[in-house]
Amino acid sequence: MSNPYLCPRCKTNRTRFHKIEQRAEPVKLDPQTGTVTQTLEEASLDVFHMNYGGPSMRVQCGACGLNELEEMFVAYAKRN
């Protein structure tokens, strides 16, 4: 189900937004060069590599550029 948005910063935008899907890719880097030495699978991470715990989607206001969690825009729309 879709929810209406309202930007908490500019307080007027209800129609122009960017939905940003985040996809984490676990990798190992060479410490000297920064090049990717190995791409890992989420299921086979080693002991010292934590799973990504951030949001899968963020929203950016198309008017003022505020970039926050989707819940922030939805909650502000419900209050106003």
Side-chain angles (χ1 to χ4, degrees), residues 6-74:
L6 175 60
C7 178
R9 181 191 285 163
C10 65
K11 298 176 178 54
T12 57
N13 180 24
R14 292 181 180 269
T15 59
R16 295 175 309 279
F17 298 95
H18 301 278
K19 287 187 165 189
I20 304 163
E21 292 183 20
Q22 299 189 120
R23 185 184 61 81
E25 180 182 13
V27 296
K28 280 190 176 182
L29 303 178
D30 181 278
Q32 279 72 41
T33 65
T35 59
V36 176
T37 59
Q38 186 179 7
T39 302
L40 306 167
E41 297 294 323
E42 291 273 344
S44 64
L45 295 178
D46 60 28
V47 178
F48 299 107
H49 201 127
M50 293 177 57
N51 281 329
Y52 176 69
S56 60
M57 188 179 65
R58 292 182 66 93
V59 174
Q60 182 180 29
C61 175
C64 73
L66 179 67
N67 186 334
E68 285 291 339
L69 295 174
E70 180 181 31
E71 292 81 19
M72 184 92 125
F73 290 90
V74 172

